[in-house]
Structure formats: structure tokens, C-alpha cells
Amino acid sequence: MNVLFTDVMTVYNHFRSGDTEGWTRSVVRGVQWSHNKTEMTVVEGVQAETKAEKITVDFQRNYGNKPYLPPDEYRKLPPEQNSAYWTLDAKSGQDVIVLGETEQEIDRRYRLSQLKKDFQYAVTVTSVSDNRNRMRLKNIKVVGK
């Protein structure tokens, strides 16, 4: 294991197929999680400061994770195949990541809002940079808020 990528995260991928909607949980190892990084944004001349969680997922080594699929491919999967893969989808605004390994499944009894209340570092994926095509340091960088 790389000494830089010692964190673990749990990814909750949102899926929708016809009338079926839900979240699939995946535990991902080989992660580096940085807390409360400040981001500056300017909208219509107004500057705002927000806190964001920044996560880097190492793809250089094998950590025993499920296979990763790009979001477009993951969205095409039938619901019965979702649990075999994971993704990081900023476009949907529905994927959530949690620092650490969680056992909670999101369903009718345990809602996404409760997950965010129960875990200090539960954030929605807002940005993804896929750097897996590099010769070295293959990774995906994620921002969550």
C-alpha cells in the first residue's frame, strides 16, 4: 500500500432505470482525503469562499476495489449489474461519498439526508478529473461539497 493513499471512502452511486431508483454502496481503498480546502468562486462580480473536501483515488496500484466505470458507461448498466462496479458522477449531482467504510444502505428506512447527518464527512460529488490515462500517477481527483 502506498503511504499517501491510506484512506478509505464509501461511494453511494445513484441509479435510475424506468421506475427503479436507488443507490449502490461501494467501499473504495487507496484514497487520499483532504479536509476543508477553501475554494474561491466569483459569480456576477461577487466573490464567495466555500469549503470543499478534495479526494484523490490511486489507480496506480491494486487495492482490491471493484472495477471503476466512467459515469456514461455506469448509467447504461441494468440495475442488477450496478453493484459490480462503481463510478464518480459529478454531472448527476446525486453521487455521495463518505470518508471511511460505512455499512448503511440507502433505502426507504435510511435516507440520504440521514446519511449526511450521521457522518461529518459525507459530501456530494461536484467535480471529477480523470487522470487515469497518464503513464505515471494514474488517479482520479474528486471535489465534494
Side-chain angles (χ1 to χ4, degrees), residues 105-144:
E105 297 288 349
I106 298 173
D107 56 23
R108 292 179 186 201
R109 293 178 312 258
Y110 190 83
R111 303 242 181 230
L112 187 59
S113 58
Q114 188 62 45
L115 178 81
K116 288 187 172 187
K117 286 179 187 175
D118 289 347
F119 295 94
Q120 178 181 1
Y121 298 110
V123 294
T124 301
V125 174
T126 58
S127 169
V128 177
S129 297
D130 190 341
N131 303 306
R132 293 177 299 141
N133 60 343
R134 293 184 176 180
M135 288 183 62
R136 296 190 177 139
L137 301 174
K138 296 176 186 299
N139 67 74
I140 292 181
K141 293 187 180 198
V142 186
V143 174

Side-chain angles (χ1 to χ4, degrees), residues 69-85:
L69 282 181
D72 291 341
E73 291 179 36
Y74 186 85
R75 280 188 221 108
K76 294 175 186 174
L77 291 175
E80 61 273 6
Q81 291 183 13
N82 286 343
S83 62
Y85 303 93

Side-chain angles (χ1 to χ4, degrees), residues 9-14 23 33 39 50-55 87-99 106 111-117 119-128 141-145:
M9 71 178 178
T10 304
V11 179
Y12 290 89
N13 291 123
H14 180 261
W23 280 265
W33 190 296
E39 288 190 339
T50 59
K51 298 290 184 185
E53 300 295 298
K54 297 204 176 175
I55 301 99
T87 193
L88 294 163
D89 188 354
K91 188 176 180 181
S92 73
Q94 300 281 341
D95 284 358
V96 173
I97 50 179
V98 178
L99 176 61
I106 298 173
R111 303 242 181 230
L112 187 59
S113 58
Q114 188 62 45
L115 178 81
K116 288 187 172 187
K117 286 179 187 175
F119 295 94
Q120 178 181 1
Y121 298 110
V123 294
T124 301
V125 174
T126 58
S127 169
V128 177
K141 293 187 180 198
V142 186
V143 174
K145 295 181 183 177

